[in-house]
Each structure stands twice: as structure tokens, then as C-alpha cells.
PDB file of all heavy atoms in Angstrom:
ATOM      1  N   VAL A   1      -3.011  -6.810  21.494  1.00  0.00           N
ATOM      2  CA  VAL A   1      -2.263  -7.996  21.316  1.00  0.00           C
ATOM      3  C   VAL A   1      -1.109  -7.883  20.334  1.00  0.00           C
ATOM      4  O   VAL A   1      -0.086  -8.576  20.472  1.00  0.00           O
ATOM      5  CB  VAL A   1      -3.238  -9.136  20.838  1.00  0.00           C
ATOM      6  CG1 VAL A   1      -2.449 -10.434  20.558  1.00  0.00           C
ATOM      7  CG2 VAL A   1      -4.283  -9.405  21.854  1.00  0.00           C
ATOM      8  N   LYS A   2      -1.249  -6.964  19.393  1.00  0.00           N
ATOM      9  CA  LYS A   2      -0.192  -6.797  18.387  1.00  0.00           C
ATOM     10  C   LYS A   2       1.252  -6.520  18.944  1.00  0.00           C
ATOM     11  O   LYS A   2       2.241  -6.942  18.406  1.00  0.00           O
ATOM     12  CB  LYS A   2      -0.588  -5.766  17.333  1.00  0.00           C
ATOM     13  CG  LYS A   2      -0.586  -4.343  17.833  1.00  0.00           C
ATOM     14  CD  LYS A   2      -0.966  -3.330  16.812  1.00  0.00           C
ATOM     15  CE  LYS A   2      -1.028  -1.913  17.334  1.00  0.00           C
ATOM     16  NZ  LYS A   2      -1.397  -0.920  16.273  1.00  0.00           N
ATOM     17  N   LYS A   3       1.202  -5.823  20.114  1.00  0.00           N
ATOM     18  CA  LYS A   3       2.462  -5.471  20.746  1.00  0.00           C
ATOM     19  C   LYS A   3       3.200  -6.738  21.354  1.00  0.00           C
ATOM     20  O   LYS A   3       4.372  -6.681  21.579  1.00  0.00           O
ATOM     21  CB  LYS A   3       2.323  -4.416  21.808  1.00  0.00           C
ATOM     22  CG  LYS A   3       1.401  -4.819  22.939  1.00  0.00           C
ATOM     23  CD  LYS A   3       1.113  -3.625  23.810  1.00  0.00           C
ATOM     24  CE  LYS A   3       0.068  -3.979  24.921  1.00  0.00           C
ATOM     25  NZ  LYS A   3      -0.369  -2.760  25.636  1.00  0.00           N
ATOM     26  N   TYR A   4       2.402  -7.828  21.516  1.00  0.00           N
ATOM     27  CA  TYR A   4       2.971  -9.044  22.095  1.00  0.00           C
ATOM     28  C   TYR A   4       3.406  -9.987  20.967  1.00  0.00           C
ATOM     29  O   TYR A   4       4.056 -11.008  21.251  1.00  0.00           O
ATOM     30  CB  TYR A   4       1.934  -9.812  22.944  1.00  0.00           C
ATOM     31  CG  TYR A   4       1.519  -9.002  24.129  1.00  0.00           C
ATOM     32  CD1 TYR A   4       0.101  -8.777  24.377  1.00  0.00           C
ATOM     33  CD2 TYR A   4       2.363  -8.433  25.078  1.00  0.00           C
ATOM     34  CE1 TYR A   4      -0.280  -8.050  25.475  1.00  0.00           C
ATOM     35  CE2 TYR A   4       1.984  -7.718  26.156  1.00  0.00           C
ATOM     36  CZ  TYR A   4       0.635  -7.535  26.378  1.00  0.00           C
ATOM     37  OH  TYR A   4       0.171  -6.836  27.443  1.00  0.00           O
ATOM     38  N   PHE A   5       3.080  -9.692  19.724  1.00  0.00           N
ATOM     39  CA  PHE A   5       3.413 -10.538  18.581  1.00  0.00           C
ATOM     40  C   PHE A   5       4.959 -10.796  18.533  1.00  0.00           C
ATOM     41  O   PHE A   5       5.360 -12.002  18.299  1.00  0.00           O
ATOM     42  CB  PHE A   5       2.934  -9.904  17.294  1.00  0.00           C
ATOM     43  CG  PHE A   5       3.078 -10.734  16.095  1.00  0.00           C
ATOM     44  CD1 PHE A   5       2.063 -11.623  15.658  1.00  0.00           C
ATOM     45  CD2 PHE A   5       4.225 -10.700  15.264  1.00  0.00           C
ATOM     46  CE1 PHE A   5       2.183 -12.392  14.572  1.00  0.00           C
ATOM     47  CE2 PHE A   5       4.384 -11.437  14.110  1.00  0.00           C
ATOM     48  CZ  PHE A   5       3.297 -12.326  13.827  1.00  0.00           C
ATOM     49  N   PRO A   6       5.837  -9.840  18.625  1.00  0.00           N
ATOM     50  CA  PRO A   6       7.283 -10.098  18.553  1.00  0.00           C
ATOM     51  C   PRO A   6       7.748 -11.067  19.635  1.00  0.00           C
ATOM     52  O   PRO A   6       8.700 -11.779  19.407  1.00  0.00           O
ATOM     53  CB  PRO A   6       7.911  -8.739  18.736  1.00  0.00           C
ATOM     54  CG  PRO A   6       6.816  -7.739  18.343  1.00  0.00           C
ATOM     55  CD  PRO A   6       5.568  -8.347  18.761  1.00  0.00           C
ATOM     56  N   LEU A   7       7.089 -11.114  20.825  1.00  0.00           N
ATOM     57  CA  LEU A   7       7.473 -12.023  21.869  1.00  0.00           C
ATOM     58  C   LEU A   7       7.329 -13.463  21.395  1.00  0.00           C
ATOM     59  O   LEU A   7       8.222 -14.329  21.580  1.00  0.00           O
ATOM     60  CB  LEU A   7       6.651 -11.793  23.086  1.00  0.00           C
ATOM     61  CG  LEU A   7       6.810 -10.431  23.784  1.00  0.00           C
ATOM     62  CD1 LEU A   7       5.733 -10.294  24.953  1.00  0.00           C
ATOM     63  CD2 LEU A   7       8.222 -10.266  24.400  1.00  0.00           C
ATOM     64  N   ALA A   8       6.199 -13.750  20.842  1.00  0.00           N
ATOM     65  CA  ALA A   8       5.942 -15.092  20.320  1.00  0.00           C
ATOM     66  C   ALA A   8       6.832 -15.428  19.129  1.00  0.00           C
ATOM     67  O   ALA A   8       7.355 -16.521  19.040  1.00  0.00           O
ATOM     68  CB  ALA A   8       4.422 -15.248  19.903  1.00  0.00           C
ATOM     69  N   PHE A   9       7.002 -14.443  18.287  1.00  0.00           N
ATOM     70  CA  PHE A   9       7.805 -14.675  17.067  1.00  0.00           C
ATOM     71  C   PHE A   9       9.286 -14.997  17.396  1.00  0.00           C
ATOM     72  O   PHE A   9       9.783 -16.055  16.995  1.00  0.00           O
ATOM     73  CB  PHE A   9       7.679 -13.456  16.114  1.00  0.00           C
ATOM     74  CG  PHE A   9       8.378 -13.614  14.806  1.00  0.00           C
ATOM     75  CD1 PHE A   9       7.724 -14.097  13.698  1.00  0.00           C
ATOM     76  CD2 PHE A   9       9.767 -13.263  14.602  1.00  0.00           C
ATOM     77  CE1 PHE A   9       8.319 -14.228  12.485  1.00  0.00           C
ATOM     78  CE2 PHE A   9      10.368 -13.413  13.417  1.00  0.00           C
ATOM     79  CZ  PHE A   9       9.606 -13.909  12.328  1.00  0.00           C
ATOM     80  N   PHE A  10       9.929 -14.103  18.161  1.00  0.00           N
ATOM     81  CA  PHE A  10      11.358 -14.270  18.389  1.00  0.00           C
ATOM     82  C   PHE A  10      11.568 -15.362  19.455  1.00  0.00           C
ATOM     83  O   PHE A  10      12.584 -16.010  19.412  1.00  0.00           O
ATOM     84  CB  PHE A  10      11.984 -12.979  18.831  1.00  0.00           C
ATOM     85  CG  PHE A  10      12.030 -11.956  17.708  1.00  0.00           C
ATOM     86  CD1 PHE A  10      11.270 -10.840  17.695  1.00  0.00           C
ATOM     87  CD2 PHE A  10      12.967 -12.172  16.673  1.00  0.00           C
ATOM     88  CE1 PHE A  10      11.347  -9.916  16.618  1.00  0.00           C
ATOM     89  CE2 PHE A  10      13.053 -11.238  15.626  1.00  0.00           C
ATOM     90  CZ  PHE A  10      12.228 -10.116  15.587  1.00  0.00           C
ATOM     91  N   GLY A  11      10.625 -15.535  20.388  1.00  0.00           N
ATOM     92  CA  GLY A  11      10.675 -16.631  21.292  1.00  0.00           C
ATOM     93  C   GLY A  11      10.719 -17.981  20.584  1.00  0.00           C
ATOM     94  O   GLY A  11      11.525 -18.848  20.816  1.00  0.00           O
ATOM     95  N   SER A  12       9.877 -18.079  19.517  1.00  0.00           N
ATOM     96  CA  SER A  12       9.824 -19.364  18.750  1.00  0.00           C
ATOM     97  C   SER A  12      11.056 -19.572  17.881  1.00  0.00           C
ATOM     98  O   SER A  12      11.572 -20.649  17.775  1.00  0.00           O
ATOM     99  CB  SER A  12       8.560 -19.339  17.874  1.00  0.00           C
ATOM    100  OG  SER A  12       8.434 -20.506  17.116  1.00  0.00           O
ATOM    101  N   MET A  13      11.566 -18.483  17.331  1.00  0.00           N
ATOM    102  CA  MET A  13      12.732 -18.602  16.500  1.00  0.00           C
ATOM    103  C   MET A  13      13.931 -19.062  17.305  1.00  0.00           C
ATOM    104  O   MET A  13      14.743 -19.880  16.935  1.00  0.00           O
ATOM    105  CB  MET A  13      13.013 -17.302  15.832  1.00  0.00           C
ATOM    106  CG  MET A  13      14.175 -17.373  14.775  1.00  0.00           C
ATOM    107  SD  MET A  13      14.324 -15.885  13.727  1.00  0.00           S
ATOM    108  CE  MET A  13      12.971 -16.216  12.568  1.00  0.00           C
ATOM    109  N   PHE A  14      13.986 -18.499  18.489  1.00  0.00           N
ATOM    110  CA  PHE A  14      15.065 -18.923  19.486  1.00  0.00           C
ATOM    111  C   PHE A  14      14.869 -20.332  19.883  1.00  0.00           C
ATOM    112  O   PHE A  14      15.874 -21.110  19.949  1.00  0.00           O
ATOM    113  CB  PHE A  14      15.000 -18.006  20.692  1.00  0.00           C
ATOM    114  CG  PHE A  14      16.115 -18.283  21.742  1.00  0.00           C
ATOM    115  CD1 PHE A  14      17.442 -18.447  21.348  1.00  0.00           C
ATOM    116  CD2 PHE A  14      15.834 -18.415  23.052  1.00  0.00           C
ATOM    117  CE1 PHE A  14      18.478 -18.683  22.250  1.00  0.00           C
ATOM    118  CE2 PHE A  14      16.831 -18.689  23.971  1.00  0.00           C
ATOM    119  CZ  PHE A  14      18.136 -18.828  23.620  1.00  0.00           C
ATOM    120  N   GLY A  15      13.647 -20.799  20.060  1.00  0.00           N
ATOM    121  CA  GLY A  15      13.363 -22.185  20.444  1.00  0.00           C
ATOM    122  C   GLY A  15      13.751 -23.145  19.357  1.00  0.00           C
ATOM    123  O   GLY A  15      14.294 -24.190  19.577  1.00  0.00           O
ATOM    124  N   ALA A  16      13.410 -22.770  18.080  1.00  0.00           N
ATOM    125  CA  ALA A  16      13.732 -23.620  16.921  1.00  0.00           C
ATOM    126  C   ALA A  16      15.276 -23.721  16.764  1.00  0.00           C
ATOM    127  O   ALA A  16      15.732 -24.763  16.311  1.00  0.00           O
ATOM    128  CB  ALA A  16      13.036 -23.050  15.687  1.00  0.00           C
ATOM    129  N   TRP A  17      15.922 -22.618  17.008  1.00  0.00           N
ATOM    130  CA  TRP A  17      17.407 -22.679  16.891  1.00  0.00           C
ATOM    131  C   TRP A  17      17.978 -23.544  18.029  1.00  0.00           C
ATOM    132  O   TRP A  17      18.923 -24.341  17.802  1.00  0.00           O
ATOM    133  CB  TRP A  17      17.937 -21.238  16.991  1.00  0.00           C
ATOM    134  CG  TRP A  17      19.414 -21.229  16.987  1.00  0.00           C
ATOM    135  CD1 TRP A  17      20.301 -21.358  15.960  1.00  0.00           C
ATOM    136  CD2 TRP A  17      20.308 -21.077  18.150  1.00  0.00           C
ATOM    137  NE1 TRP A  17      21.617 -21.239  16.375  1.00  0.00           N
ATOM    138  CE2 TRP A  17      21.595 -21.120  17.718  1.00  0.00           C
ATOM    139  CE3 TRP A  17      20.017 -20.931  19.531  1.00  0.00           C
ATOM    140  CZ2 TRP A  17      22.726 -20.963  18.603  1.00  0.00           C
ATOM    141  CZ3 TRP A  17      21.083 -20.759  20.379  1.00  0.00           C
ATOM    142  CH2 TRP A  17      22.417 -20.768  19.903  1.00  0.00           C
ATOM    143  N   THR A  18      17.447 -23.416  19.202  1.00  0.00           N
ATOM    144  CA  THR A  18      17.951 -24.124  20.360  1.00  0.00           C
ATOM    145  C   THR A  18      17.762 -25.632  20.234  1.00  0.00           C
ATOM    146  O   THR A  18      18.599 -26.427  20.664  1.00  0.00           O
ATOM    147  CB  THR A  18      17.233 -23.660  21.663  1.00  0.00           C
ATOM    148  OG1 THR A  18      17.364 -22.263  21.829  1.00  0.00           O
ATOM    149  CG2 THR A  18      17.774 -24.387  22.921  1.00  0.00           C
ATOM    150  N   VAL A  19      16.663 -26.033  19.608  1.00  0.00           N
ATOM    151  CA  VAL A  19      16.366 -27.483  19.510  1.00  0.00           C
ATOM    152  C   VAL A  19      17.373 -28.212  18.657  1.00  0.00           C
ATOM    153  O   VAL A  19      17.516 -29.416  18.753  1.00  0.00           O
ATOM    154  CB  VAL A  19      14.912 -27.671  18.914  1.00  0.00           C
ATOM    155  CG1 VAL A  19      14.929 -27.501  17.405  1.00  0.00           C
ATOM    156  CG2 VAL A  19      14.375 -29.101  19.277  1.00  0.00           C
ATOM    157  N   THR A  20      18.172 -27.514  17.836  1.00  0.00           N
ATOM    158  CA  THR A  20      19.227 -28.126  17.052  1.00  0.00           C
ATOM    159  C   THR A  20      20.378 -28.617  17.854  1.00  0.00           C
ATOM    160  O   THR A  20      21.220 -29.359  17.415  1.00  0.00           O
ATOM    161  CB  THR A  20      19.724 -27.173  16.006  1.00  0.00           C
ATOM    162  OG1 THR A  20      20.314 -26.025  16.591  1.00  0.00           O
ATOM    163  CG2 THR A  20      18.626 -26.689  15.022  1.00  0.00           C
ATOM    164  N   SER A  21      20.512 -28.065  19.115  1.00  0.00           N
ATOM    165  CA  SER A  21      21.607 -28.449  19.968  1.00  0.00           C
ATOM    166  C   SER A  21      21.210 -29.080  21.323  1.00  0.00           C
ATOM    167  O   SER A  21      22.106 -29.663  21.977  1.00  0.00           O
ATOM    168  CB  SER A  21      22.502 -27.248  20.251  1.00  0.00           C
ATOM    169  OG  SER A  21      21.777 -26.208  20.874  1.00  0.00           O
ATOM    170  N   ILE A  22      19.921 -28.988  21.704  1.00  0.00           N
ATOM    171  CA  ILE A  22      19.469 -29.584  22.979  1.00  0.00           C
ATOM    172  C   ILE A  22      18.242 -30.451  22.717  1.00  0.00           C
ATOM    173  O   ILE A  22      17.395 -30.048  21.890  1.00  0.00           O
ATOM    174  CB  ILE A  22      19.061 -28.467  23.951  1.00  0.00           C
ATOM    175  CG1 ILE A  22      20.243 -27.509  24.235  1.00  0.00           C
ATOM    176  CG2 ILE A  22      18.542 -29.075  25.235  1.00  0.00           C
ATOM    177  CD1 ILE A  22      19.974 -26.414  25.161  1.00  0.00           C
ATOM    178  N   SER A  23      18.186 -31.572  23.284  1.00  0.00           N
ATOM    179  CA  SER A  23      17.087 -32.512  23.061  1.00  0.00           C
ATOM    180  C   SER A  23      15.784 -31.971  23.607  1.00  0.00           C
ATOM    181  O   SER A  23      15.699 -31.509  24.754  1.00  0.00           O
ATOM    182  CB  SER A  23      17.339 -33.864  23.751  1.00  0.00           C
ATOM    183  OG  SER A  23      16.187 -34.686  23.695  1.00  0.00           O
ATOM    184  N   PRO A  24      14.713 -31.991  22.760  1.00  0.00           N
ATOM    185  CA  PRO A  24      13.355 -31.561  23.282  1.00  0.00           C
ATOM    186  C   PRO A  24      12.790 -32.431  24.428  1.00  0.00           C
ATOM    187  O   PRO A  24      11.828 -31.989  25.017  1.00  0.00           O
ATOM    188  CB  PRO A  24      12.497 -31.655  21.992  1.00  0.00           C
ATOM    189  CG  PRO A  24      13.166 -32.580  21.076  1.00  0.00           C
ATOM    190  CD  PRO A  24      14.635 -32.426  21.375  1.00  0.00           C
ATOM    191  N   GLU A  25      13.383 -33.625  24.600  1.00  0.00           N
ATOM    192  CA  GLU A  25      12.943 -34.489  25.669  1.00  0.00           C
ATOM    193  C   GLU A  25      13.054 -33.726  27.023  1.00  0.00           C
ATOM    194  O   GLU A  25      12.306 -34.039  27.971  1.00  0.00           O
ATOM    195  CB  GLU A  25      13.787 -35.777  25.739  1.00  0.00           C
ATOM    196  CG  GLU A  25      13.640 -36.676  24.519  1.00  0.00           C
ATOM    197  CD  GLU A  25      12.243 -37.198  24.346  1.00  0.00           C
ATOM    198  OE1 GLU A  25      11.677 -37.576  25.362  1.00  0.00           O
ATOM    199  OE2 GLU A  25      11.779 -37.236  23.209  1.00  0.00           O
ATOM    200  N   LEU A  26      13.950 -32.800  27.146  1.00  0.00           N
ATOM    201  CA  LEU A  26      14.110 -32.018  28.386  1.00  0.00           C
ATOM    202  C   LEU A  26      12.896 -31.309  28.803  1.00  0.00           C
ATOM    203  O   LEU A  26      12.609 -31.086  30.011  1.00  0.00           O
ATOM    204  CB  LEU A  26      15.332 -31.098  28.264  1.00  0.00           C
ATOM    205  CG  LEU A  26      16.689 -31.770  28.063  1.00  0.00           C
ATOM    206  CD1 LEU A  26      17.764 -30.648  27.806  1.00  0.00           C
ATOM    207  CD2 LEU A  26      17.054 -32.597  29.272  1.00  0.00           C
ATOM    208  N   LEU A  27      12.078 -30.846  27.852  1.00  0.00           N
ATOM    209  CA  LEU A  27      10.926 -30.042  28.170  1.00  0.00           C
ATOM    210  C   LEU A  27       9.680 -30.837  28.323  1.00  0.00           C
ATOM    211  O   LEU A  27       8.635 -30.280  28.820  1.00  0.00           O
ATOM    212  CB  LEU A  27      10.690 -28.972  27.046  1.00  0.00           C
ATOM    213  CG  LEU A  27      11.372 -27.555  27.191  1.00  0.00           C
ATOM    214  CD1 LEU A  27      10.829 -26.673  26.115  1.00  0.00           C
ATOM    215  CD2 LEU A  27      11.052 -26.967  28.543  1.00  0.00           C
ATOM    216  N   LYS A  28       9.700 -32.119  27.921  1.00  0.00           N
ATOM    217  CA  LYS A  28       8.491 -32.891  27.903  1.00  0.00           C
ATOM    218  C   LYS A  28       7.852 -33.056  29.301  1.00  0.00           C
ATOM    219  O   LYS A  28       6.589 -32.906  29.464  1.00  0.00           O
ATOM    220  CB  LYS A  28       8.678 -34.285  27.288  1.00  0.00           C
ATOM    221  CG  LYS A  28       8.712 -34.168  25.762  1.00  0.00           C
ATOM    222  CD  LYS A  28       8.673 -35.585  25.091  1.00  0.00           C
ATOM    223  CE  LYS A  28       8.530 -35.484  23.642  1.00  0.00           C
ATOM    224  NZ  LYS A  28       8.498 -36.778  22.976  1.00  0.00           N
ATOM    225  N   PRO A  29       8.630 -33.325  30.370  1.00  0.00           N
ATOM    226  CA  PRO A  29       7.972 -33.426  31.674  1.00  0.00           C
ATOM    227  C   PRO A  29       7.252 -32.184  32.164  1.00  0.00           C
ATOM    228  O   PRO A  29       6.150 -32.237  32.663  1.00  0.00           O
ATOM    229  CB  PRO A  29       9.143 -33.765  32.627  1.00  0.00           C
ATOM    230  CG  PRO A  29      10.164 -34.373  31.764  1.00  0.00           C
ATOM    231  CD  PRO A  29      10.026 -33.664  30.431  1.00  0.00           C
ATOM    232  N   LEU A  30       7.835 -30.999  31.858  1.00  0.00           N
ATOM    233  CA  LEU A  30       7.227 -29.723  32.170  1.00  0.00           C
ATOM    234  C   LEU A  30       6.001 -29.526  31.410  1.00  0.00           C
ATOM    235  O   LEU A  30       4.942 -29.015  31.881  1.00  0.00           O
ATOM    236  CB  LEU A  30       8.236 -28.557  31.916  1.00  0.00           C
ATOM    237  CG  LEU A  30       7.652 -27.191  32.151  1.00  0.00           C
ATOM    238  CD1 LEU A  30       7.235 -27.023  33.621  1.00  0.00           C
ATOM    239  CD2 LEU A  30       8.744 -26.136  31.792  1.00  0.00           C
ATOM    240  N   MET A  31       5.983 -29.852  30.064  1.00  0.00           N
ATOM    241  CA  MET A  31       4.825 -29.736  29.214  1.00  0.00           C
ATOM    242  C   MET A  31       3.660 -30.607  29.744  1.00  0.00           C
ATOM    243  O   MET A  31       2.532 -30.185  29.749  1.00  0.00           O
ATOM    244  CB  MET A  31       5.187 -30.155  27.805  1.00  0.00           C
ATOM    245  CG  MET A  31       4.082 -30.024  26.787  1.00  0.00           C
ATOM    246  SD  MET A  31       3.221 -31.571  26.521  1.00  0.00           S
ATOM    247  CE  MET A  31       4.520 -32.494  25.637  1.00  0.00           C
ATOM    248  N   LEU A  32       3.978 -31.829  30.146  1.00  0.00           N
ATOM    249  CA  LEU A  32       2.914 -32.744  30.677  1.00  0.00           C
ATOM    250  C   LEU A  32       2.363 -32.144  31.926  1.00  0.00           C
ATOM    251  O   LEU A  32       1.102 -32.227  32.152  1.00  0.00           O
ATOM    252  CB  LEU A  32       3.553 -34.145  30.955  1.00  0.00           C
ATOM    253  CG  LEU A  32       3.964 -34.921  29.691  1.00  0.00           C
ATOM    254  CD1 LEU A  32       4.689 -36.194  30.107  1.00  0.00           C
ATOM    255  CD2 LEU A  32       2.807 -35.191  28.800  1.00  0.00           C
ATOM    256  N   PHE A  33       3.156 -31.642  32.805  1.00  0.00           N
ATOM    257  CA  PHE A  33       2.640 -31.068  34.063  1.00  0.00           C
ATOM    258  C   PHE A  33       1.728 -29.865  33.803  1.00  0.00           C
ATOM    259  O   PHE A  33       0.707 -29.717  34.436  1.00  0.00           O
ATOM    260  CB  PHE A  33       3.854 -30.650  34.965  1.00  0.00           C
ATOM    261  CG  PHE A  33       3.407 -29.811  36.206  1.00  0.00           C
ATOM    262  CD1 PHE A  33       2.946 -30.453  37.289  1.00  0.00           C
ATOM    263  CD2 PHE A  33       3.556 -28.424  36.171  1.00  0.00           C
ATOM    264  CE1 PHE A  33       2.516 -29.748  38.393  1.00  0.00           C
ATOM    265  CE2 PHE A  33       3.124 -27.707  37.270  1.00  0.00           C
ATOM    266  CZ  PHE A  33       2.616 -28.372  38.421  1.00  0.00           C
ATOM    267  N   MET A  34       2.137 -29.014  32.858  1.00  0.00           N
ATOM    268  CA  MET A  34       1.424 -27.838  32.563  1.00  0.00           C
ATOM    269  C   MET A  34      -0.005 -28.205  31.916  1.00  0.00           C
ATOM    270  O   MET A  34      -1.002 -27.604  32.188  1.00  0.00           O
ATOM    271  CB  MET A  34       2.150 -26.902  31.577  1.00  0.00           C
ATOM    272  CG  MET A  34       3.358 -26.205  32.228  1.00  0.00           C
ATOM    273  SD  MET A  34       4.270 -25.228  31.071  1.00  0.00           S
ATOM    274  CE  MET A  34       3.105 -24.016  30.609  1.00  0.00           C
ATOM    275  N   LEU A  35       0.031 -29.180  31.005  1.00  0.00           N
ATOM    276  CA  LEU A  35      -1.218 -29.645  30.415  1.00  0.00           C
ATOM    277  C   LEU A  35      -2.187 -30.218  31.465  1.00  0.00           C
ATOM    278  O   LEU A  35      -3.425 -29.934  31.416  1.00  0.00           O
ATOM    279  CB  LEU A  35      -0.922 -30.691  29.334  1.00  0.00           C
ATOM    280  CG  LEU A  35      -0.460 -30.166  27.974  1.00  0.00           C
ATOM    281  CD1 LEU A  35      -0.080 -31.373  27.118  1.00  0.00           C
ATOM    282  CD2 LEU A  35      -1.514 -29.355  27.263  1.00  0.00           C
ATOM    283  N   ALA A  36      -1.643 -30.980  32.364  1.00  0.00           N
ATOM    284  CA  ALA A  36      -2.474 -31.544  33.478  1.00  0.00           C
ATOM    285  C   ALA A  36      -3.032 -30.413  34.340  1.00  0.00           C
ATOM    286  O   ALA A  36      -4.252 -30.450  34.693  1.00  0.00           O
ATOM    287  CB  ALA A  36      -1.664 -32.484  34.333  1.00  0.00           C
ATOM    288  N   ALA A  37      -2.243 -29.441  34.715  1.00  0.00           N
ATOM    289  CA  ALA A  37      -2.686 -28.332  35.568  1.00  0.00           C
ATOM    290  C   ALA A  37      -3.767 -27.507  34.871  1.00  0.00           C
ATOM    291  O   ALA A  37      -4.761 -27.127  35.446  1.00  0.00           O
ATOM    292  CB  ALA A  37      -1.505 -27.443  35.958  1.00  0.00           C
TER     293      ALA A  37
END
């Protein structure tokens, strides 16, 4: 699992940076669908 750690780390950093310019409301419908599935 340790080799996958950078994927989560840099993915999240990119996400946190992106949220400053794009509304998180865009991802909510996808998140709801995934939770239901």
C-alpha cells in the first residue's frame, strides 16, 4: 500500500487547490450516486 500513498496525497492536494476556483457542488451528484451504489 505504501506505493499508493503519493496518489492519495498529491490527488488530495490538487483537489484542495482546485476547490478554490471551482464549486464543490459540481461533484455532489456523482458522490451521491457512488454512495448509493
Side-chain angles (χ1 to χ4, degrees):
V1 178
K2 66 180 180 181
K3 61 189 175 187
Y4 300 126
F5 187 90
L7 295 171
F9 185 91
F10 290 109
S12 180
M13 186 166 283
F14 182 49
W17 175 79
T18 304
V19 79
T20 61
S21 55
I22 300 176
S23 172
E25 296 295 319
L26 296 173
L27 269 188
K28 281 192 175 181
L30 178 60
M31 180 264 289
L32 294 175
F33 172 78
M34 289 177 64
L35 282 172

